[in-house]
Amino acid sequence: ELAQRDQVVELCPAAGAVPFANAPADYAARGRLLVTTADDTQRMWALDLASGRLQPDETLPPCGLDGGCAFTFDGSWVVVFGLDIYTARPDGSEATVLFRTDEFAPETLYWLDNRTVEFLTLSYLPAEALDPLLLLAQFDVETGVYSEPQRPSERVSVNQLQTESISGQPQNGSLRLVRTPFETGSGTGYRYYLYDTLTDAVTYIARLADPNNAELEHEWHPLGAALYYRLPGTLDWLVYDTETQTQRILGALPRGTWSRDGRYRVAPFALPDDERAARLEADQPIPSLQLWDRVSGLTRLYCLPRSDVFIYPEFYWSPDHRYIALLGLLSGDAEETLTFEYTTILVLDTQTGDVITYDANVSAITIWTTEAGR
């Protein structure tokens, strides 16, 4: 059903990488990359992509330093785990302390969706017990409202059978992938279903009676738009569309890092050895990144500069889903007997294939934010 399924387009401009000072007129990357530098372990830094200016910013959460951080999928909020556990915008604004760890630290705390933190906390249910109970509660960062603590939801049941919950739909979706056992005569098999916790509706997915007890391989779309799954011993992935409630054969499911709108997925790419050797001999560009479009099925290949660049396998999407930032380790000869290594930031324009480089020796990228910090 994908209009451009199995189609591949290569975007490798002849100019190769371009320094930011010489960026083409249509280059419009905006916002800031929040980064750390090897020379400053006390402060976060920010690279302004419109001006190329790199400067320290002590108001930024210490996500690349001592503090652990968890961002929402869309990158608009962060939970910072430090002496205090607090939520904030990536630029440090709109901060709210959830817990002071010298008083109480929750056993679990995670993003339920792009605006809701869920955590286990000690609280009271006077109608049920005199002592405090470990209950689930939520905090909405957009409204600043806490929910009433509740007991964790009860287990689901399909056809009144023993039912095991495998995984839940992201972004606080109502679907759960579950399975029920059955006897095969030589062991135990499983039937897999999607169970809707709001309506109790059940959708059959698969039946496995593998003597080696192989399980259903599966992966949720990060926004909950689809469940991808594959039967043991098969190559083709299948997909259940949660909006249309239909299932179909997908074929290959590319791996990689999703864009913030959940449409594109980028990953490293390698040509077969013989094709790579032929391109090297002919002095032709060699693609090293692939971008899959889940809507059209089209795959685009991109080339990165220099044969001596090592690209760290992390990708940082721009909020408008057009650009991808990467951190590269470049090496070269300063003199005949001296080699040097330095990091540089590369920004790929997925529409044109242009690669823009920034002269910024940083050690890590944390996230790409807009000018407003989102």
Side-chain angles (χ1 to χ4, degrees):
E1 296 179 3
L2 301 180
Q4 295 176 286
R5 176 177 172 174
D6 298 329
Q7 293 184 27
V8 179
V9 173
E10 191 171 310
L11 291 174
C12 292
V18 178
F20 169 71
N22 301 326
D26 62 347
Y27 178 68
R30 296 294 181 266
R32 300 193 302 168
L33 288 179
L34 308 187
V35 302
T36 56
T37 66
D39 298 328
D40 188 346
T41 60
Q42 302 300 316
R43 298 176 298 178
M44 295 290 296
W45 289 60
L47 173 68
D48 186 287
L49 292 156
S51 66
R53 187 182 302 112
L54 177 66
Q55 57 189 14
D57 188 339
E58 296 182 357
T59 66
L60 297 175
C63 294
L65 303 174
D66 296 332
C69 291
F71 290 91
T72 55
F73 175 75
D74 65 1
S76 60
W77 292 93
V78 62
V79 171
V80 182
F81 300 89
L83 295 179
D84 295 330
I85 299 176
Y86 65 94
T87 61
R89 294 291 188 180
D91 66 353
S93 63
E94 302 181 46
T96 300
V97 174
L98 300 181
F99 298 96
R100 301 192 182 279
T101 53
D102 58 348
E103 298 174 356
F104 174 78
E107 291 191 12
T108 60
L109 188 148
Y110 48 85
W111 287 106
L112 195 61
D113 52 34
N114 285 328
R115 59 181 289 172
T116 310
V117 176
E118 186 169 78
F119 50 89
L120 282 171
T121 182
L122 281 173
S123 189
Y124 290 89
L125 289 178
E128 298 186 24
L130 296 177
D131 296 325
L133 303 172
L134 203 56
L135 304 175
L136 274 179
Q138 300 173 2
F139 174 69
D140 188 319
V141 292
E142 298 282 355
T143 64
V145 174
Y146 289 88
S147 70
E148 289 295 330
Q150 299 178 357
R151 286 186 180 274
S153 58
E154 300 296 330
R155 293 184 177 181
V156 301
S157 177
V158 174
N159 299 328
Q160 298 181 342
L161 298 173
Q162 176 187 346
T163 305
E164 179 185 1
S165 183
I166 305 299
S167 64
Q169 184 182 15
Q171 298 300 313
N172 200 21
S174 62
L175 297 179
R176 302 289 182 271
L177 178 65
V178 302
R179 69 180 185 180
T180 61
F182 66 91
E183 292 301 320
T184 65
S186 59
T188 302
Y190 293 95
R191 293 184 178 90
Y192 289 80
Y193 304 88
L194 281 175
Y195 178 87
D196 193 320
T197 57
L198 294 180
T199 65
D200 291 328
V202 176
T203 302
Y204 172 78
I205 292 294
R207 175 183 180 276
L208 300 185
D210 192 319
N212 296 319
N213 293 324
E215 298 185 358
L216 186 73
E217 188 176 359
H218 75 281
E219 177 184 339
W220 285 97
H221 180 269
L223 296 179
L227 173 71
Y228 302 101
Y229 61 100
R230 181 165 62 177
L231 304 179
T234 65
L235 296 177
D236 284 336
W237 285 82
L238 298 97
V239 57
Y240 176 85
D241 189 308
T242 60
E243 297 176 0
T244 63
Q245 299 182 9
T246 57
Q247 301 182 66
R248 58 181 171 83
I249 297 175
L250 175 67
L253 175 64
R255 303 294 187 180
T257 303
W258 290 98
S259 59
R260 295 185 185 183
D261 61 352
R263 174 166 179 170
Y264 304 105
R265 205 171 196 187
V266 64
F269 173 80
L271 287 171
D273 291 343
D274 55 346
E275 187 173 346
R276 178 182 173 85
R279 289 201 181 204
L280 284 173
E281 185 175 353
D283 196 26
Q284 295 177 339
I286 299 176
S288 54
L289 291 182
Q290 71 171 20
L291 183 72
W292 177 62
D293 183 344
R294 71 175 290 266
V295 175
S296 69
L298 177 69
T299 296
R300 282 176 275 184
L301 302 180
Y302 301 95
C303 298
L304 294 176
R306 304 174 59 133
S307 60
D308 56 355
V309 60
F310 170 77
I311 299 298
Y312 292 90
E314 286 90 19
F315 304 94
Y316 303 88
W317 281 92
S318 64
D320 65 0
H321 329 300
R322 172 172 173 171
Y323 299 95
I324 301 170
L326 309 93
L327 194 62
L329 180 65
L330 300 171
S331 62
D333 293 323
E335 299 176 0
E336 290 186 3
T337 59
L338 177 66
T339 63
F340 66 94
E341 292 184 340
Y342 63 97
T343 55
T344 188
I345 290 176
L346 303 92
V347 176
L348 168 68
D349 185 338
T350 63
Q351 293 187 8
T352 65
D354 292 324
V355 177
I356 310 302
T357 60
Y358 288 82
D359 186 14
N361 189 10
V362 306
S363 55
I365 301 174
T366 299
I367 196 170
W368 188 329
T369 69
T370 66
E371 290 90 338
R374 292 161 173 76

